[in-house]
Amino acid sequence: GNSVTQMEGPVTLSEEAFLTINCTYTATGYPSLFWYVQYPGEGLQLLLKATKADDKGSNKGFEATYRKETTSFHLEKGSVQVSDSAVYFCVLTGANNLFFGTGTRLTVIP
Amino acid sequence: DVKVTQSSRYLVKRTGEKVFLECVQDMDHENMFWYRQDPGLGLRLIYFSYDVKMKEKGDIPEGYSVSREKKERFSLILESASTNQTSMYLCASSLRRGGVGELFFGEGSRLTVL
């Protein structure tokens, strides 16, 4: 079946630090992969996506590459800001649904 | 911009009460979803609908029902609320049938059942 395993949090970083949030998946077929972000007090919103192997999704300085050989979709950002503090979800498509990881809470301190 | 609006941000109900959570989207999306979000468990799908009057069970439908009488509105109903239904409830919609593609979420409804 389909599932997503993402890095447990919480993660606390200083401003301008490098961020990696690990995500691995198991899936049948050829799913699409997403990272969603939930800022405090808000609903989830799409951060970036990749629809096939070797695709790189990017947005707001965040990047993730769909790696079929390692079944991974790790989220990275070279220099985080306080405004990046949020919960990040790695997500996999299924036939009629999305499969969400448990979320990783990131706190960036000045 | 797509807007998904959930009727109540915070609700407090008593055990056994009937609870309605309303969700409206303004972009003519085919699909609508109800999730619950609990710490350490991520988002779990309760029900989804890909058309008016159509509904499909998700992963955790027990204790819930839904209604979709109009394309833009998807309601979640707790017939007899219990304390284990205390949670954050998130509504979402997406354009394409089948749920593949970007989901647009509402801001959530935090329900406390006493």
Side-chain angles (χ1 to χ4, degrees):
Chain A
N2 294 336
S3 68
V4 173
T5 303
Q6 70 178 95
M7 178 175 159
E8 298 243 350
V11 174
T12 302
L13 294 173
S14 297
E15 208 165 20
E16 300 184 2
F18 184 85
L19 169 71
T20 301
I21 301 177
N22 290 335
C23 172
T24 57
Y25 67 90
T26 57
T28 55
Y30 302 95
S32 294
L33 294 167
F34 305 84
W35 277 99
Y36 277 77
V37 58
Q38 185 178 31
Y39 297 105
E42 299 183 14
L44 281 73
Q45 56 187 272
L46 180 65
L47 179 60
L48 53 84
K49 66 181 179 183
T51 57
K52 61 183 187 297
D54 299 325
D55 268 2
K56 178 187 280 188
S58 62
N59 187 24
K60 298 183 180 179
F62 291 88
E63 293 183 341
T65 301
Y66 186 159
R67 300 207 183 277
K68 200 166 188 297
E69 65 276 11
T70 54
T71 61
S72 66
F73 192 56
H74 304 322
L75 182 69
E76 296 182 335
K77 186 174 185 182
S79 177
V80 294
Q81 305 300 313
V82 172
S83 57
D84 294 326
S85 296
V87 181
Y88 293 82
F89 293 89
C90 184
V91 182
L92 169 78
T93 56
N96 287 306
N97 186 15
L98 303 185
F99 293 85
F100 287 79
T102 54
T104 302
R105 182 176 297 278
L106 169 68
T107 301
V108 180
I109 54 178
Chain B
D1 278 354
V2 174
K3 191 161 179 64
V4 178
T5 304
Q6 295 183 229
S7 55
S8 305
R9 292 294 302 273
Y10 301 95
L11 303 93
V12 179
K13 298 292 183 181
R14 297 205 175 274
T15 301
E17 281 192 87
K18 190 168 186 175
V19 182
F20 291 88
L21 299 178
E22 302 283 339
C23 175
V24 176
Q25 50 94 3
D26 66 358
M27 282 300 290
D28 204 34
H29 281 177
E30 301 288 336
N31 307 317
M32 296 189 75
F33 305 80
W34 275 107
Y35 290 89
R36 64 177 282 176
Q37 182 181 13
D38 299 289
L41 296 177
L43 273 71
R44 293 178 291 166
L45 181 65
I46 305 171
Y47 269 96
F48 67 98
S49 168
Y50 55 83
D51 203 350
V52 176
K53 296 193 186 295
M54 303 299 290
K55 60 184 179 184
E56 296 283 346
K57 292 181 180 179
D59 300 317
I60 52 164
E62 297 78 18
Y64 303 93
S65 62
V66 290
S67 172
R68 193 164 181 205
E69 295 297 316
K70 294 185 177 182
K71 191 174 186 180
E72 68 270 19
R73 188 179 298 270
F74 193 37
S75 302
L76 180 69
I77 303 153
L78 288 66
E79 293 288 343
S80 178
S82 63
T83 55
N84 64 11
Q85 292 178 309
T86 292
S87 187
M88 171 70 87
Y89 290 89
L90 294 172
C91 176
S93 71
S94 72
L95 178 62
R96 283 182 286 169
R97 186 171 181 144
V100 175
E102 182 177 357
L103 292 188
F104 293 85
F105 284 86
E107 292 184 327
S109 298
R110 185 168 294 282
L111 172 66
T112 301
V113 183
L114 302 175

